[in-house]
Amino acid sequence: HVQFVESGGGSVQSGGSLRLSCTASGFTRDYYTIAWFRQAPGKETEGVACISSSDESTYYADSVKGRFTISRDNANAKNTVHLQMDSLKPEDTAVYYCVTDTVSITCQSGYDPVAWGQGTQVTVSS
């Protein structure tokens, strides 16, 4: 089954940057999508960004467009996805999870993950 190992969370001040990384394993299909979701205290989970392994196409939530960049690195057969987060705001504070729905080949709204990483905390102070 699909597994993720996430890293890169931390605490920054408003306007700062962080880079999250997620190394995935266990995919049995040639093409799939990997996304980042987040959950702030007392709020529902929110899809943040997604990338397709078939054509490197991406999808971003409106709340992060222009500030976050998702990318994929398959060097040395390590399937790693990065989330570069710039111009961070206090409302970006959340636990960020690497996820996949295991079936989508391209990223679309309404993404419904079935596999989740352990999460990494991002805290942005004002």
Side-chain angles (χ1 to χ4, degrees):
H1 60 285
V2 177
Q3 292 183 307
F4 300 107
V5 177
E6 300 139 330
S7 61
S11 298
V12 295
Q13 290 191 325
S14 182
S17 297
L18 282 173
R19 188 185 194 219
L20 306 182
S21 297
C22 164
T23 299
S25 62
F27 283 103
T28 58
R29 300 175 58 164
D30 290 337
Y31 299 119
Y32 46 85
T33 54
I34 295 176
W36 286 95
F37 269 53
R38 67 186 180 186
Q39 186 167 29
K43 296 188 176 180
E44 295 185 353
T45 57
E46 173 191 16
V48 174
C50 177
I51 189 164
S52 166
S53 72
S54 65
D55 60 3
E56 305 295 317
S57 60
T58 58
Y59 177 93
Y60 295 95
D62 288 342
S63 58
V64 305
K65 278 181 183 176
R67 300 188 299 120
F68 289 13
T69 303
I70 190 170
S71 61
R72 186 170 161 269
D73 178 7
N74 201 34
N76 299 320
K78 291 185 178 181
N79 190 6
T80 300
V81 171
H82 304 288
L83 185 67
Q84 178 66 40
M85 306 185 294
D86 299 318
S87 302
L88 282 163
K89 305 175 181 180
E91 50 264 44
D92 294 317
T93 294
V95 177
Y96 284 71
Y97 298 91
C98 200
V99 304
T100 185
D101 69 357
T102 72
V103 296
S104 296
I105 298 175
T106 58
C107 298
Q108 302 175 28
S109 61
Y111 200 80
D112 187 17
V114 298
W116 296 70
Q118 81 280 4
T120 184
Q121 177 70 46
V122 170
T123 303
V124 184
S125 57
S126 58

